[in-house]
Amino acid sequence: GWLVSRNFEAVPFAHFSLIALAVSSLLFGILHERWLAASLSGAVFALVMWRTNRLSAPIIAHAIANAMICGWAIGFRQWSLL
């Protein structure tokens, strides 16, 4: 909310702002080793929240993405993904 307005408490929960999408996605990406893929995933998660207007939806999407990466790493013995 603070990327949209100084009065962030007045910003609706799933308000869309291109700058907020870009900054939050890049910050999400910086927290991960594969920053480009994580930034793109962060953008998708933000769009899921905007579309559904629920915080639980991107949390579930993130959990599913992590489970798929974990499954791939275990199944194909690519431990560097973990």
Side-chain angles (χ1 to χ4, degrees):
W2 60 270
L3 291 171
V4 176
S5 170
R6 287 182 185 220
N7 185 13
F8 65 90
E9 292 175 345
V11 177
F13 173 70
H15 176 77
F16 181 80
S17 163
L18 192 55
I19 189 75
L21 174 75
V23 171
S24 65
S25 298
L26 287 174
L27 289 174
F28 184 79
I30 289 170
L31 295 173
H32 295 79
E33 184 177 333
R34 290 171 176 79
W35 66 271
L36 182 57
S39 293
L40 293 173
S41 297
V44 170
F45 300 150
L47 291 172
V48 166
M49 187 177 80
W50 172 67
R51 180 83 172 158
T52 63
N53 201 28
R54 292 182 8 214
L55 183 58
S56 60
I59 291 172
I60 292 167
H62 189 191
I64 291 170
N66 285 346
M68 291 173 64
I69 292 167
C70 186
W72 181 276
I74 292 169
F76 291 98
R77 298 177 186 231
Q78 293 181 341
W79 310 121
S80 64
L81 294 175
L82 303 176

